[in-house]
Amino acid sequence: MSEDDLTPGQPPAQPAAQPPAPKTRRRWPLRRRHARPAPPPAPTDPDAELGTGGIGRGLRILLGLAAAVVVSFGMGAIGGILAPTLLALILTICAQPVRVWLERHGTPQGVATGAVGLTLFALLAGFMAVLWVATAQFVGMLPQYKPQLEQLGAQFSAWLQSIGVGPQQVQEIKSGFNPTALLSFFSGLFGNALGLVTLLVIVLTMLILMPADAAYTPTLLRQLKPVRPNLVFAISGFAVSVRRYMVVTTLLGIAQGVINGVALYLLGVPAALLWGLLSFLCSFIPNVGYFIAIVPPLVFGYLTGGWPTVIWVIIVYGIINAVIQSVIQPKVVGNAVSLSQTLTFFCVLFWAVVLGPIGAILAVPITLLVRAVLVDSDPRARMWQPIIGDLTHTRELMKVESAERREERHPSGSSGGHRS
């Protein structure tokens, strides 16, 4: 364009301005950027598998929770007969292979059933008798530790007040260190001998009747399988799982109780036999039993040997618990108890409230029975198995996803040189 082409008063055209060059951000040389994963697409029809009609999911959940509350209160009301019945059921399931083995080797059916029932009752009665004797010895020697217990209670109360605990709560805790309260507690156990006899009578009767009825169980399951195959599958799986869990836990609990009892005896802790039996019983209570079993030896170990004995008790109990319950038991039991740790802890607390101490000891078998009836026997409810704790396929999927992420971060065939 020449100057003649410009009209008077019009400024000359300026050259087009170039856009500024974008500023380059310097990245940290060791930082790698990963693409943010896209959110999963929402399902178009999440309730298509449930069909049309019926009530909503929220209302079904509320009705289920309401039914569970009613059933729990009902079970708690008859806990005095329900707890020994469930104990006899678990013992019958564990002894079923022995009865079948006796019949297979020519023992008459009635004799095999009676022999197994009487043997189980004798073992249970013998354990209760030993526990009774050990408790009686402990009650007899408890008054001589009255000054030490009161002094320990005073020290613990002073420490609680120093950290701001109220005086009423401190006084309630301090009263627990009174030997008179402990004596009244154990005397109540002895005074409730009628309840103990009633428990043993119910268990004995059930151990005679249940094995007799269990003789028909294989035929009944074969008869039921064409009509309800999922229910037969769930019941069979429950029997195998609870049998493996109870047998392994019993054998390991015996070893744990013997080792702990001998160690406490060598350390000079009083009532070592009683604390060994308590350790055996608490081995059936996951997550909570260890802390219940270790508290009395710690208290009386401190009264007799001071802090060195306390440290040795913690070391012995910690090593035995870690080896048996954290290493040996999971490998032997395997996938028999597919329950998450959170659910197991909740079930221990729940069944202890509903059925008492027997409920806490049988928390895992009872929960497996409930799972077999409500989840394993219903194909539509089996989708909840991974959430409950059956993580077999979940672990395999996690391994595959982890391998895929490693492949994305370090692709095979790519050089380890610098990026352009």
Side-chain angles (χ1 to χ4, degrees):
M1 177 181 298
S2 62
E3 294 182 359
D4 297 336
D5 297 333
L6 295 176
T7 57
Q10 181 180 2
Q14 299 293 332
Q18 297 294 331
K23 297 182 178 180
T24 58
R25 295 180 58 187
R26 298 184 62 184
R27 295 182 182 177
W28 185 254
L30 299 180
R31 183 181 177 184
R32 299 185 61 183
R33 288 201 157 194
H34 303 283
R36 179 176 298 176
T44 56
D45 191 4
D47 292 329
E49 72 277 4
L50 300 178
T52 58
I55 59 178
R57 174 174 296 175
L59 184 56
R60 289 196 301 270
I61 294 176
L62 291 178
L63 290 176
L65 292 176
V69 171
V70 173
V71 171
S72 300
F73 275 98
M75 295 175 67
I78 61 172
I81 60 175
L82 182 60
T85 301
L86 290 174
L87 176 60
L89 174 63
I90 301 302
L91 293 177
T92 302
I93 293 175
C94 295
Q96 179 70 4
V98 178
R99 189 190 61 80
V100 173
W101 182 85
L102 291 175
E103 293 181 0
R104 189 179 301 166
H105 287 75
T107 306
Q109 179 178 341
V111 176
T113 300
V116 172
L118 291 176
T119 302
L120 290 175
F121 176 77
L123 293 175
L124 183 61
F127 175 78
M128 296 299 294
V130 174
L131 182 61
W132 200 334
V133 171
T135 306
Q137 293 178 353
F138 174 72
V139 171
M141 71 176 188
L142 188 59
Q144 63 180 342
Y145 291 98
K146 182 178 179 179
Q148 294 93 327
L149 284 173
E150 291 178 349
Q151 182 181 1
L152 180 61
Q155 295 176 355
F156 190 64
S157 301
W159 178 76
L160 290 177
Q161 290 179 349
S162 65
I163 61 176
V165 180
Q168 183 178 358
Q169 291 80 5
V170 171
Q171 186 63 31
E172 293 178 356
I173 296 174
K174 184 179 179 180
S175 62
F177 290 88
N178 187 2
T180 305
L182 295 176
L183 284 174
S184 61
F185 171 75
F186 286 103
S187 299
L189 293 180
F190 287 107
N192 197 17
L194 179 60
L196 181 61
V197 172
T198 303
L199 171 67
L200 292 178
V201 168
I202 294 176
V203 172
L204 173 62
T205 306
M206 288 296 180
L207 287 178
I208 295 176
L209 298 178
M210 284 186 178
D213 293 334
Y216 303 97
T217 301
T219 305
L220 289 175
L221 292 179
R222 286 193 297 269
Q223 184 179 358
L224 187 62
K225 188 173 182 179
V227 184
R228 292 289 186 270
N230 292 291
L231 181 60
V232 174
F233 167 78
I235 293 176
S236 303
F238 160 74
V240 174
S241 298
V242 75
R243 187 181 300 123
R244 182 187 304 174
Y245 170 78
M246 289 299 295
V247 171
V248 172
T249 304
T250 301
L251 296 177
L252 295 179
I254 293 174
Q256 186 173 351
V258 170
I259 296 175
N260 290 337
V262 172
L264 293 177
Y265 176 78
L266 295 177
L267 291 173
V269 179
L273 175 60
L274 179 60
W275 310 138
L277 295 175
L278 179 63
S279 178
F280 166 73
L281 287 176
C282 291
S283 64
F284 293 91
I285 307 177
N287 303 325
V288 184
Y290 169 77
F291 300 99
I292 298 176
I294 198 176
V295 171
L298 288 179
V299 174
F300 287 92
Y302 177 78
L303 295 180
T304 56
W307 286 111
T309 304
V310 170
I311 295 174
W312 275 112
V313 170
I314 294 176
I315 292 175
V316 171
Y317 271 67
I319 293 176
I320 298 302
N321 180 78
V323 172
I324 292 181
Q325 295 191 359
S326 301
V327 178
I328 299 178
Q329 186 175 9
K331 290 185 178 181
V332 178
V333 174
N335 202 33
V337 183
S338 299
L339 300 175
S340 64
Q341 296 295 327
T342 305
L343 180 60
T344 302
F345 178 71
F346 173 78
C347 290
V348 170
L349 302 179
F350 176 79
W351 292 117
V353 172
V354 174
L355 299 177
I358 296 181
I361 295 174
L362 300 179
V364 172
I366 298 174
T367 305
L368 293 178
L369 177 60
V370 174
R371 189 190 71 178
V373 174
L374 299 181
V375 178
D376 297 342
S377 61
D378 189 356
R380 295 172 299 179
R382 290 178 191 167
M383 63 180 180
W384 298 104
Q385 288 179 342
I387 300 177
I388 294 175
D390 189 358
L391 302 176
T392 304
H393 300 290
T394 306
R395 293 191 183 96
E396 296 177 357
L397 181 60
M398 291 176 62
K399 291 180 181 179
V400 173
E401 292 177 348
S402 178
E404 291 178 352
R405 287 194 295 268
R406 286 197 302 268
E407 182 65 23
E408 291 177 357
R409 291 194 298 266
H410 307 285
S412 59
S414 61
S415 61
H418 67 278
R419 293 184 300 176
S420 57

